[in-house]
Amino acid sequence: MVMRTRQSQRRRQVLSRERIVETAIELLDAGGEGALTVRALTERLSTGAGAIYHHVGNMNELGQAATETVIADALPWPVASGGGAGESGGAEEAGETGGAGETRKAGESGRAGKAGETGKAGKAGESGRAGKAGESGRAGEVGGSGGPRERPEDRIRAVALGLYDAATEHSWLASRLAAQLIREPWGAVTPRIFESMGRPLRDLGVPRGDWFTTTSTLVHYVLGATSQNAQAADDVPGGAPPDTEEVRAAFLDTASRAWRDLDPEEYPFLHDIADQMRAHEDRAQFLAGIDLILAGVTASRPR
């Protein structure tokens, strides 16, 4: 009895809210929403339900905490506004990136990833993480004393790509983001997203009366695109990995041939773009959409 009590005490000492949230994210990544259960948590953490509830309150709170943690890691934060030179983002050291919770010294190379992608910018002179060929990565804020300041357009792209990449990595995230935006816009996630998008839009010279509408348009575009991609990944037949080039190429080839098989007199436009649809790259298309919105924002600014 004494030994069992001591074992329980040791388990309580190593158990923390952070560890529970981290485990919840692992379960969600591995199996989606249905995989996050009290039973799965207790088995993975070798503890009881009471200990978990002591740290997180309930499963809904745990799901929110998992979402907040992923978003906090994904977004450059705080995003510098149009202040004086040398203004930096909040709690992090001046000039450091706010993305993915990583801080690195000037000139230090970023963590490696997929070949060819430029990555999250940190301090001036720091190289970012690699990724797919031809893609730009998540940029952190480059600021601080003596460091170059990013343009508002670049900060908006950084936020958009941070959200896109996070939702791509965590297929459960898009639906949770959309639900929190609709049901709980006062929660931790929605204010962070709006603040991250809104400050650089304000710095672009968007009239004050249009701040909410313009920011909402961008946010809804981002969440719509990420939700569509997440749903497409979940709908891949046969349980094949949705992120493989073979699965994606086969899907797009099928869709392209279906469009070309339509009556060309009734669907002339679809015939014209069928090959473009087959050859498109989702992430590049997503960023092109951001650029289209920003072009409209820039063109509509008062002169």
Side-chain angles (χ1 to χ4, degrees):
M1 185 68 170
V2 173
M3 182 176 295
R4 186 175 303 172
T5 301
R6 288 175 179 172
Q7 290 174 344
S8 299
Q9 288 174 346
R10 283 197 294 269
R11 282 198 294 268
R12 283 197 295 270
Q13 288 172 357
V14 298
L15 190 65
S16 65
R17 179 180 175 86
E18 290 74 19
R19 186 182 171 205
I20 294 171
V21 171
E22 179 181 329
T23 303
I25 293 172
E26 292 172 357
L27 290 171
L28 287 166
D29 288 346
E33 292 283 352
L36 182 57
T37 64
V38 176
R39 180 176 180 179
L41 281 169
T42 56
E43 290 179 353
R44 180 72 66 90
L45 294 169
S46 299
T47 188
I52 291 175
Y53 289 135
H54 171 74
H55 288 283
V56 300
N58 55 54
M59 294 300 289
N60 181 59
E61 181 181 335
L62 177 57
Q64 290 178 345
T67 304
E68 292 166 13
T69 298
V70 171
I71 292 301
D73 286 346
L75 291 185
W77 179 265
V79 176
S81 190
E87 177 185 346
S88 81
E92 284 148 1
E93 189 179 13
E96 289 180 343
T97 178
E102 298 176 355
T103 56
R104 294 186 288 266
K105 296 179 181 179
E108 183 179 32
S109 61
R111 60 186 173 88
K114 299 176 183 177
E117 181 179 295
T118 59
K120 296 181 288 182
K123 288 186 179 181
E126 177 185 34
S127 63
R129 73 175 168 85
K132 292 182 180 178
E135 294 179 354
S136 60
R138 287 181 283 180
E141 178 185 341
V142 181
S145 178
R149 297 187 63 79
E150 287 184 315
R151 299 181 307 157
E153 297 95 325
D154 294 332
R155 302 205 307 270
I156 291 168
R157 292 187 187 97
V159 172
L161 284 172
L163 291 170
Y164 182 91
D165 288 342
T168 300
E169 183 178 354
H170 309 280
S171 61
W172 52 272
L173 181 64
S175 60
R176 280 194 168 267
L177 289 179
Q180 291 203 21
L181 177 64
I182 295 171
R183 300 171 187 169
E184 194 180 3
W186 53 83
V189 171
T190 302
R192 187 181 188 112
I193 293 174
F194 266 77
E195 188 71 21
S196 298
M197 282 287 193
R199 282 198 221 175
L201 276 171
R202 179 189 61 188
D203 295 343
L204 274 175
V206 175
R208 186 183 187 91
D210 296 333
W211 285 354
F212 176 73
T213 298
T214 307
T215 306
S216 295
T217 299
L218 263 171
V219 170
H220 282 95
Y221 168 75
V222 171
L223 295 185
T226 54
S227 296
Q228 180 181 348
N229 287 342
Q231 182 176 355
D234 290 339
D235 289 342
V236 173
D243 57 346
T244 64
E245 291 298 327
E246 293 79 6
V247 171
R248 183 179 183 278
F251 174 82
L252 292 177
D253 185 65
T254 299
S256 177
R257 284 188 282 105
W259 281 11
R260 286 197 302 269
D261 289 342
L262 295 171
D263 186 342
E265 294 186 1
E266 188 174 0
Y267 297 97
F269 180 73
L270 288 187
H271 275 258
D272 289 341
I273 67 170
D275 289 338
Q276 296 178 25
M277 187 270 288
R278 179 171 53 83
H280 88 278
E281 199 281 321
D282 290 337
R283 196 167 184 270
Q285 183 187 51
F286 170 77
L287 187 56
I290 294 292
D291 289 340
L292 285 172
I293 296 174
L294 291 178
V297 169
T298 302
S300 64
R301 284 185 303 189
R303 299 185 184 277

